[in-house]
Amino acid sequence: MRLGLFGGTFDPVHLGHLRSAEEVKEEYALDEVSFVPCGVPPHRSGRPGAAPQHRLEMVRLAVADRPGLGVSDIEVARPGASYSIDTVRHFLTTLGPGDDLFLILGLDAFLLIGSWKDWRELLSLAHVIVTSRPGFGDELPYEKIPVVVREAFCYHAFRFEGPVRSGFRNELGKEILFKRLTDVSVSASAIRELLGKGKSIRGLVPSEVQRYVEDQNLYNEPPES
Ligand code: ATP
């Protein structure tokens, strides 16, 4: 079993997230990519977000007809702040000894990993697949890896189902890999902004998600002056 975990606020989930999950799943022959919406979203500026149950439901709708994509309510159901380390520990209890866990992180999120709770342990328990994001560069150069992480990982080239690839590996054999995605320039904050101005988001999210947003009247607060 090769399981990918894709964490985020998904406020709301959009086509950039879905394309990312599909490309990573295919590239690394993952059996499943499970979206894990966080319970308590990190502090952020801009438009207010939707409640955790709404974000979870929108992901459910988005992955319903997409084989190999799933959703977990583990972080929404867990009280308090959502930490990836707790989620990874949980999923490891569901896997067998030969199974592999992959954390999928956009480059913007990965660059902050040195500040995450128990990040050293996290990187000893799961592989990390860092994905490109429009506006954040096309590759993962060594100098972009946070210094604290660099100390624990070495560059290496390897072969996995096809061409030689490169990545970083620690002494436990856990890897940090980089996947250049097809650019899909969508962000949840831009979607919230459009909705706040009463504009359409058709084509930016799956139609089921668009309907849900409309039915539940989400993100409809007018823009701040
Ligand atoms: P916001 O605009 O509110 O910051 P977001 O669109 O970045 O939201 P998140 O839920 O924060 O959505 O993202 C979850 C993960 O998906 C992050 O790792 C992020 O880098 C990645 N991601 C988000 N949008 C894209 C995109 N358009 N292409 C590739 N990756 C993306």
Side-chain angles (χ1 to χ4, degrees), residues 6-10 14 16-17 106 108 132-133 184 186-189 192:
F6 189 17
T9 41
F10 304 118
H14 55 66
H17 297 133
D108 52 323
S132 64
R133 184 161 187 191
V184 179
V186 184
S187 73
S189 41
R192 295 193 300 274

Side-chain angles (χ1 to χ4, degrees), residues 68-107:
L69 303 190
V71 57
S72 165
D73 70 354
I74 176 101
E75 292 194 358
V76 168
R78 192 192 298 138
S82 298
Y83 293 113
S84 299
I85 185 70
D86 300 327
T87 303
V88 163
R89 286 190 192 122
H90 162 79
F91 275 96
L92 284 174
T93 64
T94 70
L95 295 175
D99 296 340
D100 275 312
L101 200 54
F102 297 79
L103 274 183
I104 302 163
L105 289 180
L107 185 50

Side-chain angles (χ1 to χ4, degrees), residues 84-195:
S84 299
I85 185 70
D86 300 327
T87 303
V88 163
R89 286 190 192 122
H90 162 79
F91 275 96
L92 284 174
T93 64
T94 70
L95 295 175
D99 296 340
D100 275 312
L101 200 54
F102 297 79
L103 274 183
I104 302 163
L105 289 180
L107 185 50
D108 52 323
F110 176 71
L111 296 181
L112 303 172
I113 199 166
S115 66
W116 289 19
K117 185 182 173 214
D118 296 339
W119 66 267
R120 282 172 211 273
E121 186 186 350
L122 192 67
L123 296 178
S124 71
L125 296 177
H127 304 286
V128 176
I129 300 172
V130 183
T131 53
S132 64
R133 184 161 187 191
F136 286 87
D138 286 349
E139 54 185 21
L140 180 60
Y142 193 62
E143 63 276 10
K144 280 210 169 180
I145 299 183
V147 175
V148 282
V149 177
R150 262 190 256 166
E151 287 164 5
F153 281 78
C154 294
Y155 178 84
H156 84 123
F158 62 98
R159 188 182 289 275
F160 172 71
E161 290 189 353
V164 173
R165 299 155 199 252
S166 60
F168 299 89
R169 187 160 60 184
N170 68 8
E171 57 188 14
L172 297 168
K174 292 293 182 272
E175 294 181 308
I176 298 174
L177 307 160
F178 183 73
K179 169 67 182 155
R180 176 71 174 89
L181 300 172
T182 305
D183 282 346
V184 179
S185 294
V186 184
S187 73
S189 41
I191 289 172
R192 295 193 300 274
E193 196 70 39
L194 285 172
L195 288 163

